[in-house]
Amino acid sequence: MKMSEMFFTTLRETPSEAEIPSHQLMLRAGLMRKLASGIYNYLPLGKRVLKKVEEIVREEMDKTGAQEILASALLPAELWKETGRWNVFGPEMFKLKDRNEREFCLGPTHEEIFTDIVRNEIKSYKQLPFNLYQIQTKYRDEKRPRFGVMRSREFIMKDAYSFDKNWDGLDISYKKMYDAYCAIFDRCGLKYWVVDADTGAMGGKDSNEFMVPSDVGEAEVVYCDECGYAANVEKAPCVNRAIHAEDVEKEIKKVATPDVKTVDELMHFFNTTADRFVKTLIYSIDGKAVAVMLRGDREVNITKLQNLFKASDIEMADRNTVESVTGAEVGFAGPININVDVLVVDDEVAHMKNFIIGANETGYHYENVNYGRDFKADVVADIRNIEVGEPCPKCGKPINIARGIEVGHIFKLGTKYTEALGATYLDENGQEQPIIMGCYGIGINRTVAAIIEQHHDDRGIIWPMSVTPYHVIIVVASNYQPEQIQAAEKIHDELAARGIEVLLDDRDERAGVKFNDADLIGIPIRITVGKKISDGMVEFKRRDKAESIDIPINDIVNKVIDEINRELA
Ligand code: ATP
Ligand code: MG
């Protein structure tokens, strides 16, 4: 491909709306352009990368025996109403009506659709198991589209759904996908964790997310260097041990604390540390007033709380609700004489001694409070986030936490959709049974962005050979030297004839501009045809190395092919 003929422009300046490297570089390198918030058009270079990633996904899926289909993105409301998700999805779902006022949505995911396809075709155990997948555009009206294609409103997903006779079969189908995902992300050149993920309030058995370690990731991953445990913070259980176990239980005491409300103010007032306080937060969960108690310096884990209540709607209660359930100004909530529907106490609190709580009376706290003796909860449960240095839930050694980008997600769904939609089969005894399902997603565009996050420097992208838009870029140092142009074209044609994807930078630009663009767009191998051509030499340079070497023009094609094959092997 001659760059003089390619539809291609790079940007010198970093667009101000792009906050993270992958977003900045995808715009600067001309991979894509923004159309509207969270909506992008892919240009030739970007489209080639997407195709490479899709092809890796397709090959690895096909190897497992999964079969590709293509469902519509425009979906009738009825199926979503059958499973109840028409309302559950809420404002994230793009809803629309046709000319006859019939309701539709643009598919945010396809469990209902695949289950419907299967229920119409499958009658007998003899037709199971199988796995169907597609690579298709999804629509989600994300609350905060951001970071370019990392969280966009239109994106390409590979979604797969397995259908089995029983749970043992699902375990096998799931393992196949687990292994295929590892192969896919390995081939994409990504380092990743496979983490335990939340299975949600609705149940489901196992779930794993594939997380790419990155400071710009929106997920938090708990990991243990000692035993290899890794989990989403949403999921990781806390291991609580007795705190200040040596203390004897002292007598509870009411203390006047005028204008002392926040944990910081309390620490100052009582001249002690945050782990001596227990805060009481008021939530509204599916319309119920719920008080949640946890140590002063801890954070509520909304996912754990949501699962505990099998809740669909959780929010912090407003000031009026707080004042009416506590009978005090905000800042003095506590468990004694509180008027809530449910009092939940974090398990850690039950391990504490002689702590300080709000008294449900403006200007007062209690000290030397002990769980069980002074108050009791309706539920004691693990409802907080695990923190750095706490014991690993598996081996007890201190854990670490880092950020990650979720590129893939696999999930043992079970019968949630097949029961709701009546997707059943007749077993060996002629009994009707619900089909057992798994679902498996990969964000194709997000994977591209994650690859850039892990493979770039301050000059631009550094593509792994497996996903690069072109393997080689040939830079002609001076367009006014016919000898250079001719040699470059010859190398270009020979490489292309041998199946190598090659760009020829024959644009009427200074060599410096061409080098900068070659670095920016990240082509792994650069060949420069310059003055040394008169000695029969060209320059060979890898994008990921600083030095370049001179190679005889007659050897360059084989050198390039060896290099590429070595890397793709
Ligand atoms: P997240 O927690 O990041 O919102 P999700 O749990 O909603 O993701 P899934 O429903 O499991 O995502 O979708 C499967 C995959 O699709 C994700 O692992 C991710 O790679 C990708 N994906 C999901 N939402 C988006 C989005 N808004 N933009 C780009 N990719 C997305
Ligand atoms: Mg997910």
Side-chain angles (χ1 to χ4, degrees), residues 140 142 149-153 155 157 209 218 406-409 441-443 446:
R140 293 184 186 178
E142 296 277 357
V149 297
M150 211 57 104
R151 183 170 299 286
S152 51
R153 300 198 295 167
F155 59 97
M157 199 200 288
E209 287 161 336
E218 291 184 279
E406 181 198 319
V407 287
H409 189 181
I442 291 181
R446 190 183 282 183

Side-chain angles (χ1 to χ4, degrees), residues 160-164 170 174 411-414 436-440:
Y161 306 86
S162 64
F163 298 86
D164 275 278
L170 172 59
Y174 187 85
F411 199 134
K412 288 184 187 169
L413 283 175
I436 312 289
M437 259 177 98
C439 72
Y440 317 90

Side-chain angles (χ1 to χ4, degrees), residues 263-274 276-277 356:
V263 171
D264 275 348
E265 288 164 356
L266 282 164
M267 271 167 26
H268 192 73
F269 184 90
F270 283 95
N271 189 25
T272 185
T273 46
R276 289 288 192 170
F277 296 93
I356 298 161

Side-chain angles (χ1 to χ4, degrees), residues 202-395:
M202 302 304 166
K205 228 169 72 172
D206 296 315
S207 174
N208 290 108
E209 287 161 336
F210 289 72
M211 292 278 192
V212 172
S214 165
D215 291 342
V216 307
E218 291 184 279
E220 282 190 299
V221 175
V222 176
Y223 65 96
C224 173
D225 286 328
E226 195 70 24
C227 71
Y229 174 81
N232 195 314
V233 164
E234 291 176 346
K235 163 90 179 177
C238 298
V239 181
N240 295 310
R241 294 175 181 153
I243 305 162
H244 305 299
E246 66 290 352
D247 288 10
V248 283
E249 288 189 5
K250 296 185 199 154
E251 200 180 322
I252 185 169
K253 204 165 99 192
K254 194 167 174 182
V255 186
T257 53
D259 297 327
V260 180
K261 296 175 186 174
T262 65
V263 171
D264 275 348
E265 288 164 356
L266 282 164
M267 271 167 26
H268 192 73
F269 184 90
F270 283 95
N271 189 25
T272 185
T273 46
D275 63 357
R276 289 288 192 170
F277 296 93
V278 172
K279 56 188 171 189
T280 304
L281 306 173
I282 315 297
Y283 283 87
S284 164
I285 302 184
D286 289 338
K288 282 194 205 128
V290 177
V292 173
M293 297 185 69
L294 70 169
R295 210 174 89 178
D297 53 348
R298 300 301 196 191
E299 261 175 42
V300 172
N301 182 314
I302 293 293
T303 306
K304 290 179 182 176
L305 198 58
Q306 188 158 11
N307 290 346
L308 183 66
F309 283 86
K310 301 197 186 317
S312 50
D313 185 36
I314 295 194
E315 50 194 321
M316 292 291 291
D318 56 29
R319 172 181 283 268
N320 283 344
T321 310
V322 175
E323 292 183 346
S324 92
V325 300
T326 62
E329 280 175 24
V330 172
F332 299 96
I336 297 171
N337 295 327
I338 195 163
N339 184 19
V340 287
D341 298 309
V342 188
L343 174 62
V344 183
V345 165
D346 181 52
D347 177 62
E348 186 179 39
V349 172
H351 289 76
M352 292 171 67
K353 276 207 182 131
N354 300 325
F355 49 84
I356 298 161
I357 58 173
N360 289 330
E361 195 177 323
T362 302
Y364 289 92
H365 282 79
Y366 286 111
E367 66 177 346
N368 301 330
V369 180
N370 287 282
Y371 180 75
R373 185 191 70 178
D374 300 320
F375 70 97
K376 278 217 172 77
D378 298 305
V379 194
V380 176
D382 173 16
I383 43 105
R384 69 178 178 90
N385 285 340
I386 193 169
E387 291 179 13
V388 175
E390 287 200 62
C392 167
K394 204 166 141 198
C395 76

